Amino acid sequence: MTQKNRSLTLRDVSEASGVSEMTVSRVLRNRGDVSAATRDKVLTAAKELGYVPNKIAGALASQRVNLVAVIIPSLSNMVFPEVLSGISQVLEDTELQPVVGVTDYLPEKEEKVLYEMLSWRPSGVIIAGLEHTEAARAMLHASGIPVVEIMDADGDPVDAMVGISHRRAGREMAAAILKAGYRKIAFLGTKMPLDHRARKRFEGFTEVLAKSGVEVVDREFYSGGSALAKGREMTEAVLERSPDVDFIYYSNDMIGAGGLLYLLEKGIDVPGQIGLAGFNGVELLQGLPRQLATMDACRREIGTKAAEIIAARVNDVEKDGLITLAPTISFGDTLRDT
Amino acid sequence: MTQKNRSLTLRDVSEASGVSEMTVSRVLRNRGDVSAATRDKVLTAAKELGYVPNKIAGALASQRVNLVAVIIPSLSNMVFPEVLSGISQVLEDTELQPVVGVTDYLPEKEEKVLYEMLSWRPSGVIIAGLEHTEAARAMLHASGIPVVEIMDADGDPVDAMVGISHRRAGREMAAAILKAGYRKIAFLGTKMPLDHRARKRFEGFTEVLAKSGVEVVDREFYSGGSALAKGREMTEAVLERSPDVDFIYYSNDMIGAGGLLYLLEKGIDVPGQIGLAGFNGVELLQGLPRQLATMDACRREIGTKAAEIIAARVNDVEKDGLITLAPTISFGDTLRDT
DNA sequence: TATTGGAATGTTACCGCGATCAGTTGCGCG
DNA sequence: CGCGCAACTGATCGCGGTAACATTCCAATA
């Protein structure tokens, strides 16, 4: 309990309990044979001193680090905490521990964060997206540890991959919208150079529209700010510019919700006069006056699958490393279900 | 680029560039005098090999770890990512790096997470709340590193503290509500044994009401699920049970928003017939049909202040370590501003 | 020319722990 | 009675770096 300033070591516990450091180490790690008597002695001494093992030294000596680097663009997007929670849940049953790095959607920052994390020699990497700088891909490749790229399935992974095809998600939503009879379709989303997955959805979306000779009649992009408010503003702007719009496809549920609230306030018939759809299926939004049409991005499942792959590979178990999940459309109350 | 399976060491770079390991180390850390020629040689070799320094070894040797443990209850609460972002922003300008641990509001898990993090010998700890297990407090104390407890100011910190007084927040909200003339007041919130800050707000709240001879006429608690939907459900339940309620105080903005949407749908006059208030001032919710009355919890500022304290202490700079921020009430459109 | 000092580089000794191997006991069994 | 083995404990070495000190070399100075 009494503490100078230098933190305790095995030696301190060893001296306090009258056995060798090695034996203390064995007790604390529950490894090898130790008599019940010494075990108690050691544990008591350790507790009394308030000893906390030094994982840095332990990791260096054993060449094993039970950390998994998880690299994601943002924490405020809600999507990522959900993925994280899937990862944590699976890793909880192992000796592995997730460590999160945030890139703010910036490739250079991603590279930097990755470098930092790799310098701790983690047991695996879970990283969002398939697009990385050349250097980042090289590092991942050279690291020699399991790597799972998540959230996206449109592209070539360095190693393993768990995600959905956003192109397909865009295509399916477009198909559903067309099938429901909407033709004057607008798109509202984030500025996309940063967000490859939003871009791919948009590409898939326009591709299917084009096949039916339909073009997006209006579009609007935002960045930053409160998504709900932005959805409201952008919707207002679009309706002003293009009053004949009969459907709005939002690149995420949050701005979709803003749009929905706005339209309801204006007394516009949803989905009769105007249909709406978002993307992600965020649970957060249950409780809106109407349920927004959306597409589940399988976030939690992506997290669990990715963690399972890492856990398996760390234990040298072979495991399928290319998983494409199928997002399911949910019509909610804002898209006529035909 | 070519990689066996064992990762590279200084020795590899040293051999590749024909200088000693020490010199390589100096170049890579930008420390000490190295001629421009050797510097180039070394950097080239390092890049070519794809060398990533081993921080584990470095940390052990130098007895310095530039990590700051940040321990919070949850990532899905929105409040915490905001605090985190404040922390990151400040640490970005230093050599320190935040590492996040999540406790799920469970004291035992907090203790476990803390133990894990301390075993990596971080340079500092930022931890939410003032309530911890005895063992956790002991560990914090014994660690000998700067500790900042955040979000709360009602209690005694182990070391430093940055937060608001939730009791006071509750009191002020109660005063504002009474002043506006409401008397039949209901409280909706989370099940509180877990959430000390919500509990303290409630305590402060009832305390002021009591002084005016007012008692909460109804209350309801939830846990889990979509906060928006819960707010809606609970509001409905309360109105059914206590139709004469004229004000509802929610323990967070999200359930408040759910209640707001419900009341508007029902055509109830807000804030005439029923007033509403939440807590937190989440930016997310700008964009609701009406702006919910709320109280800013200074989340971002808490993050920055806490990080500044850690940064200062790490560099042995003295700095005031007891900061109580003042939350400000924002009346929005759901509380009559008298 | 001898001396000095600083820049550039190398050498040595750990950092705190775990893998490995080497004892030391005690006990059952032939 | 001694052998073999299991149960337990300890000593040594090295993981991959860095701090601190030692050395080399050469230009500037007296």
Side-chain angles (χ1 to χ4, degrees):
Chain A
M1 218 49 104
T2 28
Q3 185 70 14
K4 307 272 154 92
N5 55 4
R6 235 173 42 96
S7 85
L8 298 162
T9 73
L10 274 186
R11 158 160 252 108
D12 296 295
V13 183
S14 134
E15 282 169 2
S17 54
V19 298
S20 72
E21 302 174 32
M22 197 56 233
T23 301
V24 175
S25 169
R26 277 195 272 255
V27 170
L28 265 33
R29 285 177 302 140
N30 244 329
R31 196 148 310 187
D33 297 308
V34 182
S35 74
T38 34
R39 156 171 265 94
D40 285 348
K41 244 190 332 195
V42 169
L43 286 178
T44 311
K47 190 157 296 169
E48 221 152 71
L49 292 170
Y51 173 70
V52 177
N54 186 330
K55 286 217 177 171
I56 299 189
L60 185 61
S62 67
Q63 301 284 318
R64 276 187 283 95
V65 183
N66 56 343
L67 299 177
V68 177
V70 180
I71 300 178
I72 55 180
S74 153
L75 279 175
S76 39
N77 195 326
M78 265 317 176
V79 171
F80 300 107
E82 280 187 62
V83 175
L84 260 183
S85 118
I87 293 174
S88 305
Q89 188 205 313
V90 170
L91 294 188
E92 208 120 289
D93 300 332
T94 74
E95 53 174 8
L96 297 171
Q97 269 208 320
V99 180
V100 180
V102 172
T103 70
D104 294 326
Y105 289 98
L106 303 173
E108 317 81 50
K109 187 156 181 203
E110 180 184 86
E111 188 180 316
K112 207 180 113 198
V113 168
L114 178 61
Y115 184 83
E116 283 293 324
M117 307 220 85
L118 288 182
S119 75
W120 288 101
R121 301 288 188 270
S123 295
V125 177
I126 297 177
I127 185 168
L130 292 162
E131 283 78 17
H132 316 290
T133 66
E134 200 49 53
R137 291 181 67 91
M139 277 191 272
L140 285 171
H141 188 81
S143 69
I145 57 178
V147 174
V148 184
E149 289 168 275
I150 58 171
M151 317 285 298
D152 194 353
D154 296 319
D156 294 316
V158 170
D159 179 4
M161 168 179 96
V162 181
I164 64 171
S165 163
H166 287 263
R167 286 221 175 73
R168 177 173 155 194
R171 284 198 299 265
E172 288 189 2
M173 188 53 90
I177 293 168
L178 289 175
K179 190 161 171 226
Y182 299 104
R183 286 297 178 273
K184 301 287 188 185
I185 301 165
F187 178 88
L188 305 191
T190 51
K191 288 206 168 59
M192 286 180 298
L194 301 164
D195 186 343
H196 296 284
R197 293 177 286 285
R199 191 200 73 224
K200 289 171 182 175
R201 287 199 295 281
F202 185 60
E203 288 169 5
F205 189 71
T206 53
E207 178 195 325
V208 165
L209 294 190
K211 277 188 190 146
S212 299
V214 176
E215 255 190 33
V216 165
V217 299
D218 200 350
R219 64 183 77 178
E220 179 112 358
F221 303 100
Y222 79 104
S223 63
S226 154
L228 210 56
K230 287 291 177 184
R232 179 179 287 267
E233 289 165 23
M234 291 198 293
T235 304
E236 183 170 10
V238 162
L239 288 191
E240 199 152 307
R241 247 189 343 247
S242 321
D244 59 338
V245 156
D246 67 0
F247 199 95
I248 309 181
Y249 181 38
Y250 296 88
S251 80
N252 69 60
D253 280 357
M254 215 60 203
I255 54 174
L260 172 61
L261 290 174
Y262 173 78
L263 293 177
L264 293 180
E265 242 172 277
K266 288 288 168 190
I268 291 172
D269 172 21
V270 176
Q273 187 179 343
I274 300 186
L276 302 175
F279 181 80
N280 258 339
V282 291
E283 192 197 34
L284 187 79
L285 291 174
Q286 286 167 21
L288 285 177
R290 309 230 178 132
Q291 205 55 41
L292 187 68
T294 189
M295 199 164 236
D296 177 29
C298 311
R299 300 170 305 285
R300 216 190 148 74
E301 195 180 355
I302 286 176
T304 55
K305 296 272 188 220
E308 282 163 8
I309 292 178
I310 296 284
R313 297 253 171 117
V314 164
N315 296 314
D316 281 321
V317 177
E318 273 313 306
K319 185 160 175 98
D320 180 23
L322 295 178
I323 302 182
T324 302
L325 301 173
T328 54
I329 199 165
S330 121
F331 286 87
D333 311 313
T334 67
L335 171 53
R336 294 191 292 256
D337 190 355
T338 49
Chain B
M1 222 46 106
T2 29
Q3 185 69 15
K4 306 272 154 97
N5 55 4
R6 236 175 40 96
S7 86
L8 298 163
T9 74
L10 272 188
R11 159 160 252 108
D12 296 296
V13 183
S14 134
E15 281 169 1
S17 54
V19 298
S20 73
E21 302 174 31
M22 196 58 231
T23 302
V24 176
S25 170
R26 278 195 271 254
V27 170
L28 264 33
R29 284 177 304 143
N30 244 328
R31 195 149 309 184
D33 298 305
V34 181
S35 74
T38 33
R39 155 170 264 93
D40 285 349
K41 242 188 337 194
V42 169
L43 287 178
T44 311
K47 189 157 298 169
E48 221 153 69
L49 292 170
Y51 173 71
V52 178
N54 185 331
K55 286 218 178 170
I56 299 191
L60 184 62
S62 66
Q63 302 285 317
R64 276 187 282 96
V65 182
N66 56 343
L67 298 177
V68 176
V70 180
I71 300 179
I72 55 181
S74 153
L75 279 175
S76 40
N77 195 326
M78 264 317 177
V79 170
F80 299 107
E82 280 186 63
V83 175
L84 259 183
S85 121
I87 294 174
S88 306
Q89 188 203 313
V90 170
L91 294 189
E92 208 121 287
D93 300 332
T94 74
E95 52 174 9
L96 297 170
Q97 269 207 320
V99 180
V100 179
V102 172
T103 71
D104 294 327
Y105 288 99
L106 303 173
E108 318 79 50
K109 186 155 183 204
E110 179 183 86
E111 188 181 315
K112 206 179 113 198
V113 168
L114 178 62
Y115 184 83
E116 284 292 324
M117 308 219 86
L118 287 182
S119 75
W120 288 101
R121 301 288 187 270
S123 295
V125 177
I126 297 176
I127 185 167
L130 293 163
E131 284 77 18
H132 315 290
T133 66
E134 200 48 54
R137 291 181 67 91
M139 277 192 270
L140 286 171
H141 187 80
S143 70
I145 57 178
V147 175
V148 185
E149 289 168 276
I150 57 171
M151 317 283 299
D152 194 353
D154 296 318
D156 294 315
V158 170
D159 180 5
M161 169 178 95
V162 182
I164 64 172
S165 163
H166 287 263
R167 286 222 175 74
R168 176 173 157 193
R171 285 198 299 265
E172 288 188 2
M173 188 54 90
I177 292 168
L178 289 175
K179 189 162 171 224
Y182 299 105
R183 285 299 177 274
K184 302 285 188 184
I185 301 166
F187 178 88
L188 305 191
T190 51
K191 288 206 167 59
M192 287 179 299
L194 300 163
D195 186 343
H196 296 283
R197 294 178 286 287
R199 191 201 72 221
K200 290 173 182 174
R201 285 199 296 281
F202 184 60
E203 287 169 4
F205 189 71
T206 53
E207 177 195 326
V208 165
L209 294 190
K211 276 187 190 147
S212 299
V214 176
E215 255 189 34
V216 165
V217 299
D218 199 351
R219 64 183 76 177
E220 180 113 358
F221 303 100
Y222 79 104
S223 65
S226 154
L228 210 56
K230 287 291 177 186
R232 176 180 290 265
E233 290 164 22
M234 291 197 293
T235 304
E236 184 171 9
V238 161
L239 288 191
E240 200 152 308
R241 248 189 342 245
S242 321
D244 58 338
V245 156
D246 68 0
F247 199 94
I248 308 181
Y249 181 37
Y250 297 88
S251 80
N252 69 60
D253 280 358
M254 215 59 203
I255 54 173
L260 172 61
L261 290 174
Y262 173 77
L263 294 177
L264 292 181
E265 243 172 275
K266 289 286 169 191
I268 292 172
D269 172 21
V270 176
Q273 184 180 345
I274 300 186
L276 302 176
F279 181 80
N280 258 338
V282 291
E283 193 197 33
L284 187 79
L285 291 174
Q286 287 167 20
L288 285 177
R290 309 232 177 130
Q291 205 55 40
L292 187 68
T294 189
M295 200 165 236
D296 177 29
C298 311
R299 299 170 306 285
R300 216 190 148 76
E301 194 180 356
I302 286 176
T304 56
K305 296 273 188 220
E308 281 164 9
I309 292 177
I310 295 285
R313 297 255 171 113
V314 165
N315 296 315
D316 281 320
V317 177
E318 273 313 307
K319 185 158 177 100
D320 179 23
L322 296 178
I323 303 182
T324 302
L325 301 173
T328 56
I329 199 165
S330 122
F331 287 87
D333 312 313
T334 67
L335 171 55
R336 295 191 290 255
D337 190 355
T338 49

